[in-house]
Amino acid sequence: MARIYPFRALRYDPSRVRMEDVVTQPYDKITPEMQQRYYEASPYNLIRIILGKREPGDTEAQEFLPPGEQASNVYTRAAEWLREWRREGILAEEAEPALYGYSQTYEVPTAGGIQERRGFIALGHLYDYADKVVHRHEQTFPKHKSDRLALFKATRAYCEQIYMLYSDPAFTAEKLIFGVPSATAGGVSGATAKDLRPADLAVTDEYGVVHRVWKLTDPALINLLLTAMADKKLIIADGHHRYETSVAYAKERSAQLRLPLGEPLDPDEKLSPSHLPAPPFPEAAMMMTFVNMDAPGITILPTHRVVHGLKGFSAAEFLAKAEEFFTVTPLDSADLGPLTATAGRAFLVATRDGNHLLQAKPEAIAAALAGVPARQAQLDVVVLHSILLDKILGLTTERITQEGNVRFLREAAEAVEQVQAGEADVAFLIKPITLDQLRDVSLSGDVMPQKSTDFYPKLLSGLAIYALD
């Protein structure tokens, strides 16, 4: 049972700030250059909370300090900024619990064309994966989880949303929130955001994506929506690290408070004065955006791999070994056309000595992946990690995690440029995972390698904040 709750969000006061100057991309998509740009945009930019700058003399998050000394680091400063902005009224708490309709209108990278993705922002109950309500689809890095936990414990606030997928061919949530689905789908005619009542907030980000938010406070509508979501299975699209961190902390707080993380014992205990459901305790839920995977507007981009720091790397030797598993065809350039036009599992490999298309030999691949679940063995990204990275280059998951010699990039041109500039040994350009593949793998309990998907566009950080205190 997927339990979802309305909440009284902290939100920026548009009369005090220009929204475009204070919102950001998700923390794990922010480069040092973007971080600096956000810092310069406004003294109230959310970057100071979600990804602050380190300063000389900073203490570690868990470092032992002598009596009387105070910790000082990105996490303590984040908490100070959040408290200060609330005192100043830059961030103000909503007067009543709400859900928030959320749409993103964007141009699809490389493919072109305008799409609109719709969903809603709410609190989602935190479940262990073993409960089989929330499902993951890729592996995570321990370092990233420890960082997010330190930030959350300092700020006691969720400033970013987890991106959750669910299935509903009837488009129940879309009809309740927006009146109609966003575009023609399954014979259902829809309307674009401009046809709806004016949004309460509209922000255009640095990628030209228009983000619109509608506040929903009608208790009857909210309860209809929560009831419609109760039987849904949820799949994490983006935010695995934050989700797993939050589940661990929720369990910790459950034990400290001696309150169940599951269903409250007395149903009346979860009712607020407005007769809307609330979490059994604040840490039992986190902020999420829910998107129907049966609706149009979902775009998944590939995440290319760039490998660097290999001792004695030889493109000729690598390709010779690859021929056991792939048909290797030289290419005049690193243009993605041949890869896109190739059916089945295939990769474009760029080295300083030339570019090649690798097409899988089904029998050889099947033999090499005999111990891999069938759903995963069909995925390009699994073939890439299991055979090209691990078997041929000796880059196991553990080695990649420890040594950090694989970069994950959205832009194919950037990946190729790093190789040509001598900053990397080889780039592997891949095709994107499909939504059906992700659904099958996730609901079966399997996981893909890290960074297997790149959902576009990203959810904007700073549209709403869930403060636990």
Side-chain angles (χ1 to χ4, degrees):
M1 178 179 180
R3 282 180 286 150
I4 296 170
Y5 313 104
F7 67 113
R8 295 172 61 190
L10 278 181
R11 301 182 71 189
Y12 279 104
D13 181 349
S15 69
R16 303 286 302 277
V17 298
R18 180 176 177 269
M19 288 301 298
E20 280 81 359
D21 293 338
V22 296
V23 295
T24 75
Q25 296 296 311
Y27 85 97
D28 57 342
K29 294 297 179 182
I30 297 174
T31 65
E33 293 76 20
M34 293 169 68
Q35 182 189 43
Q36 180 61 33
R37 187 171 72 246
Y38 288 144
Y39 260 86
E40 295 172 354
S42 168
Y44 303 113
N45 189 284
L46 192 69
I47 192 68
R48 289 171 172 78
I49 297 175
I50 64 170
L51 193 65
K53 290 182 178 180
R54 297 187 181 276
E55 297 179 1
D58 274 359
T59 57
E60 294 297 325
Q62 305 299 327
E63 183 178 320
F64 173 78
L65 295 173
E69 288 194 24
Q70 297 292 321
S72 177
N73 51 48
V74 293
Y75 310 115
T76 61
R77 285 191 291 276
E80 290 168 5
W81 285 121
L82 186 59
R83 286 192 294 269
E84 179 61 27
W85 296 352
R86 295 179 72 172
R87 283 195 296 266
E88 292 182 29
I90 300 299
L91 291 171
E93 187 174 73
E94 299 276 33
E96 54 190 330
L99 302 179
Y100 301 88
Y102 181 22
S103 82
Q104 297 167 286
T105 305
Y106 64 98
E107 182 175 0
V108 181
T110 67
I114 301 299
Q115 291 271 17
E116 184 183 22
R117 184 174 75 195
R118 288 186 187 171
F120 65 95
I121 302 171
L123 300 188
H125 196 85
L126 292 165
Y127 293 92
D128 194 282
Y129 293 139
D131 296 324
K132 297 185 178 180
V133 176
V134 171
H135 301 261
R136 59 178 178 161
H137 78 263
E138 64 183 22
Q139 298 169 349
T140 54
F141 297 98
K143 178 182 177 182
H144 294 170
K145 287 189 279 190
S146 62
D147 166 64
R148 291 299 97 180
L149 180 59
L151 178 64
F152 178 68
K153 284 187 172 182
T155 61
R156 300 269 300 160
Y158 288 107
C159 299
E160 302 188 279
Q161 314 135 56
I162 299 296
Y163 177 6
M164 284 290 192
L165 296 169
Y166 67 94
S167 176
D168 180 17
F171 306 108
T172 308
E174 291 91 333
K175 291 174 183 176
L176 286 169
I177 298 172
F178 303 104
V180 286
S182 58
T184 299
V188 180
S189 179
T192 60
K194 68 179 184 298
D195 300 314
L196 304 172
R197 67 176 175 84
D200 301 297
L201 174 67
V203 182
T204 302
D205 70 18
E206 61 261 61
Y207 298 105
V209 180
V210 180
H211 304 257
R212 296 181 177 87
V213 177
W214 292 260
K215 183 168 70 172
L216 310 169
T217 58
D218 179 3
L221 184 150
I222 290 174
N223 278 316
L224 282 173
L225 182 55
L226 303 189
T227 300
M229 292 293 296
D231 64 345
K232 301 296 184 282
K233 298 287 187 182
L234 305 176
I235 298 174
I236 302 174
D238 273 336
H240 288 77
H241 293 93
R242 284 169 284 158
Y243 185 82
E244 293 174 13
T245 295
S246 299
V247 169
Y249 190 56
K251 290 179 179 178
E252 179 182 321
R253 290 293 289 159
S254 175
Q256 292 171 349
L257 298 171
R258 296 184 179 180
L259 291 173
L261 181 55
E263 292 283 358
L265 297 177
D266 181 353
D268 291 335
E269 290 180 1
K270 68 177 182 179
L271 296 179
S272 69
S274 60
H275 302 291
L276 290 171
F281 55 93
E283 297 87 353
M286 70 183 304
M287 189 168 61
M288 304 175 182
T289 290
F290 299 88
V291 175
N292 182 3
M293 69 179 86
D294 295 308
I298 296 177
T299 296
I300 304 177
L301 302 177
T303 300
H304 308 295
R305 271 63 171 163
V306 177
V307 181
H308 58 96
L310 297 176
K311 294 181 180 180
F313 174 76
S314 165
E317 290 180 9
F318 166 78
L319 293 170
K321 293 179 180 178
E323 285 183 332
E324 178 183 350
F325 307 98
F326 302 90
T327 299
V328 179
T329 305
L331 298 174
D332 293 332
S333 72
D335 180 79
L336 288 175
L339 175 63
T340 304
T342 300
R345 292 163 292 182
F347 309 93
L348 196 159
V349 177
T351 71
R352 288 190 289 278
D353 296 329
N355 309 296
H356 295 79
L357 178 68
L358 273 57
Q359 295 172 271
K361 296 177 179 178
E363 293 183 0
I365 297 292
L369 299 182
V372 177
R375 290 183 182 85
Q376 293 198 55
Q378 298 302 314
L379 302 176
D380 289 30
V381 68
V382 171
V383 174
L384 169 58
H385 277 257
S386 298
I387 297 179
L388 293 172
L389 297 185
D390 190 337
K391 189 177 291 290
I392 296 179
L393 293 179
L395 296 175
T396 63
T397 300
E398 293 74 19
R399 184 178 168 189
I400 292 172
T401 301
Q402 292 172 1
E403 300 182 12
N405 49 2
V406 176
R407 302 188 189 107
F408 303 89
L409 299 179
R410 173 186 293 171
E411 301 295 335
E414 182 182 0
V416 174
E417 182 180 342
Q418 289 189 9
V419 173
Q420 294 175 342
E423 299 172 3
D425 301 299
V426 56
F428 296 96
L429 309 186
I430 69 174
K431 294 183 285 187
I433 295 290
T434 69
L435 197 55
D436 285 340
Q437 288 174 327
L438 180 143
R439 184 196 323 237
D440 291 344
V441 169
S442 298
L443 296 182
S444 70
D446 293 338
V447 293
M448 307 177 194
Q450 64 271 27
K451 302 294 183 181
S452 291
T453 57
D454 181 5
F455 284 86
Y456 185 86
K458 298 304 178 187
L459 305 177
L460 207 56
S461 298
L463 298 177
I465 294 171
Y466 172 41
L468 277 65
D469 300 318

